[in-house]
Amino acid sequence: MPEIESAPASLVTPDTVKTTAGTFEFADGLPTEETAAAVYAQLDRMHGIEAYRAGLPAVSLWAMRRAMLAAGVADGDVPLFSELMDSRSLFLTANADTVYFFTFLDLSAGPLVVDVPGPDRGQGGRYLFAGPGYEGPLPEGGVSVHRVRTSRVWLLGRCFLEDGDPAPAARRIREQLRITPCTPGGHGTSVASFLLGRAALAEPTGPRPPRFVEGSGLVINTVAPVDASFFTLLDEALQAESAGALDPEVAAPIAAVGIVHGRPFEPDAARQEVLADAAATANAYVRTVAMRPRAAEGFDFYPGSGSRWTSPLFSGGFDFQAAPPLVTRDGLQPFPDRGAKHLNARAAFFYLATGITPAMCMNLPRIGSQYVGTTLDATGAPLDGDRTYRLVLPPDIPAEKFWSITLYDTRTRSMLATDQRFPRAGSQSCPTPAAVPDKDGSTSLCFAPSRPDGVPEGNWVQTLPGRNWFALLRFYNPLPACFDKSWRPGEIEPVSPANA
């Protein structure tokens, strides 16, 4: 018999392979039945972890919509927080500084036109949203047209207070926000299009005010679950949309766990056990990169300084693929596209927040807002609700409009619920007194279960014994020193010993 050449060692799978996932057995390369069963269990678990990470934004929004419906707020209704948002409801890292309003637009019956007060450099704006499958005529002018891949769109707005009063902004939203079905051939359709046979002509529909629901004081839970029920909500969200709502790469791990558009999601007992384990594991992974990011992730806002302040946005931008461009006198100076998503930045952000826009991480002074956060004190220890801490913000805080710091519960990632309705401090005199600067122009803040003697009311934020917390420092209309980092906040310094 001719001699059989040996295969290169790099191609040969040993009969026994020991890994951190277990020991796998092969018969001359063929998996044994026991190994095959173990591998498929591992694959199901791995896909469950990937589905959790991929589906986090969708489930977060679906959890919010379910909470709204349970509170009697239908699609198209607009919760308006005319007296600001407080800690009685669970919303991911919401603030108590601005007047929130939002709604879920249902595009299944056709496009909707939204008239919004405030955007477009303060002049208001008109936007049209057309959902998947719509093939009718669209306006040629007078409105910004957006085709979307989902039949529902979450619309979120935040307005500044005026002279420390939220009432003018709330009044303007009620008077100017309009949500109107698009009339084909109506507003924005030219006579020329009609004469060329491209569109019909119709009487424009007058703008319609939505039903407003007072949001301030509303007690609801909008936060996505972290157990196996996460996958139930993911299935609900997926079934409510068309099959093409997700990118194929995003949909792939979701489909691998049995969540497919148009098919019932009925995991057997074994699959349920795997998904429960996958949810617990994925939650641990995502919570870790969000709350204890390693330096290699690029979240450090002041890298190399030892500062604990971080942001998951500036390493990959709002699309988690390229750092936000520099804004120069000659226009935008983009950074190279990585050609790949920064998965941990995406997971960290959507674990702590619900929505994202390009303006949230633009290097653009005097527009929008920027955030940095910390979960650790100056020594690297967790922020303990039993202890007293001091934070010094140097003079000339780089916020043209105002600045604030808000405390959040590490468990719920929502505003910390204490006897203080609004767990924040800042330069704005509403909804809590403005922080009082020190004689040298710096601002000293105190975080403690009770207000120490000599600390002004506006400089103290209450903490909750037995509960850890984290903080977000916000700059509204940030100044150049925020971006070039010539200004840097102090660290949160422990004052009292643990269990004092």
Side-chain angles (χ1 to χ4, degrees):
M1 294 180 62
E3 184 176 342
I4 300 175
E5 294 185 6
S6 298
S10 61
L11 303 185
V12 175
T13 300
D15 290 344
T16 299
V17 179
K18 294 183 178 181
T19 75
T20 56
T23 299
F24 303 114
E25 301 289 344
F26 299 87
D28 201 24
L30 180 67
T32 65
E33 289 186 9
E34 294 78 12
T35 288
V39 164
Y40 283 118
Q42 288 286 348
L43 282 174
D44 289 343
R45 178 175 175 273
M46 181 180 71
H47 291 146
I49 294 171
E50 293 172 345
Y52 185 105
R53 289 163 56 101
L56 195 55
V59 173
S60 185
L61 280 174
W62 196 254
M64 179 176 290
R65 180 173 179 267
R66 279 176 45 131
M68 292 295 113
L69 294 176
V73 182
D75 291 345
D77 292 347
V78 179
L80 172 60
F81 293 77
S82 62
E83 296 181 2
L84 306 181
M85 193 177 288
D86 60 36
S87 61
R88 285 178 281 189
S89 283
L90 301 181
F91 284 86
L92 290 179
T93 55
N95 69 66
D97 306 316
T98 58
V99 178
Y100 277 91
F101 66 93
F102 59 83
T103 188
F104 284 89
L105 302 177
D106 185 352
L107 307 178
S108 59
L112 293 173
V113 176
V114 180
D115 292 281
V116 180
D120 293 347
R121 303 186 182 185
Q123 301 304 307
R126 169 168 280 194
Y127 307 91
L128 182 147
F129 299 94
Y134 179 76
E135 298 179 355
L138 291 171
E140 302 159 70
V143 62
S144 178
V145 175
H146 300 270
R147 287 190 174 273
V148 297
R149 297 171 60 172
T150 56
S151 61
R152 287 182 180 84
V153 171
W154 185 51
L155 179 74
L156 169 69
R158 294 178 296 186
C159 295
F160 289 156
L161 281 61
E162 297 180 15
D163 298 322
D165 185 2
R171 182 172 57 252
R172 187 165 57 251
I173 294 166
R174 290 182 183 275
E175 292 174 349
Q176 299 180 24
L177 181 65
R178 298 293 182 262
I179 302 174
T180 310
C182 175
T183 303
H187 179 81
T189 301
S190 66
V191 174
S193 291
F194 167 70
L195 294 176
L196 292 172
R198 297 173 182 168
L201 288 181
E203 284 293 324
T205 302
R208 298 180 184 177
R211 172 179 174 255
F212 289 96
V213 177
E214 180 54 58
S216 298
L218 195 63
V219 181
I220 54 174
N221 173 19
T222 70
V223 179
V226 298
D227 59 13
S229 64
F230 177 97
F231 295 104
T232 301
L233 267 66
L234 180 56
D235 178 63
E236 289 180 11
L238 197 69
Q239 301 305 334
E241 297 296 342
S242 63
L246 295 178
D247 288 327
E249 288 297 321
V250 173
I254 298 172
V257 300
I259 299 176
V260 179
H261 181 79
R263 299 183 192 173
F265 177 53
E266 299 173 344
D268 58 20
R271 177 62 66 88
Q272 289 176 8
E273 184 177 348
V274 169
L275 291 179
D277 182 74
T281 305
N283 177 64
Y285 290 174
V286 176
R287 177 171 280 269
T288 296
V289 298
M291 295 190 171
R292 277 190 181 268
R294 58 188 175 183
E297 302 301 336
F299 295 178
D300 291 349
F301 200 73
Y302 305 97
S305 68
S307 173
R308 307 292 178 180
W309 296 100
T310 65
S311 169
L313 288 179
F314 282 83
S315 61
F318 85 100
D319 60 357
F320 308 105
Q321 190 160 317
L326 295 177
V327 180
T328 71
R329 293 183 181 276
D330 299 322
L332 295 182
Q333 178 182 322
F335 288 98
D337 190 313
R338 301 179 181 194
K341 297 291 185 184
H342 190 334
L343 292 180
N344 284 349
R346 179 183 184 272
F349 180 83
F350 284 114
Y351 195 72
L352 299 176
T354 306
I356 190 169
T357 70
M360 292 178 72
C361 60
M362 271 290 183
N363 294 297
L364 190 61
R366 295 183 170 86
I367 290 179
S369 57
Q370 298 299 331
Y371 320 146
V372 292
T374 183
T375 59
L376 305 172
D377 70 15
T379 71
L383 295 164
D384 184 345
D386 290 278
R387 303 184 69 174
T388 296
Y389 297 88
R390 181 171 182 257
L391 169 64
V392 176
L393 302 177
D396 302 319
I397 299 172
E400 184 177 60
K401 198 74 174 178
F402 64 96
W403 63 268
S404 76
I405 188 166
T406 305
L407 305 193
Y408 298 94
D409 188 321
T410 53
R411 299 169 307 158
T412 65
R413 296 151 281 157
S414 301
M415 279 192 268
L416 187 65
T418 65
D419 292 336
Q420 281 184 331
R421 182 181 173 189
F422 303 101
R424 51 83 68 188
S427 59
Q428 193 167 251
S429 60
C430 177
T432 60
V436 179
D438 300 329
K439 290 182 179 180
D440 65 356
S442 63
T443 302
S444 298
L445 303 176
C446 174
F447 312 113
S450 57
R451 178 157 60 106
D453 293 340
V455 175
E457 182 181 356
N459 294 56
W460 167 64
V461 185
Q462 188 175 29
T463 59
L464 189 65
R467 291 280 180 263
N468 287 351
W469 52 274
F470 67 96
L472 286 182
L473 177 61
R474 291 176 166 92
F475 309 95
Y476 291 90
N477 287 21
L479 295 172
C482 175
F483 299 102
D484 64 24
K485 302 177 185 178
S486 57
W487 184 95
R488 195 181 98 196
E491 302 301 306
I492 299 179
E493 302 278 353
V495 175
S496 67
N499 302 317

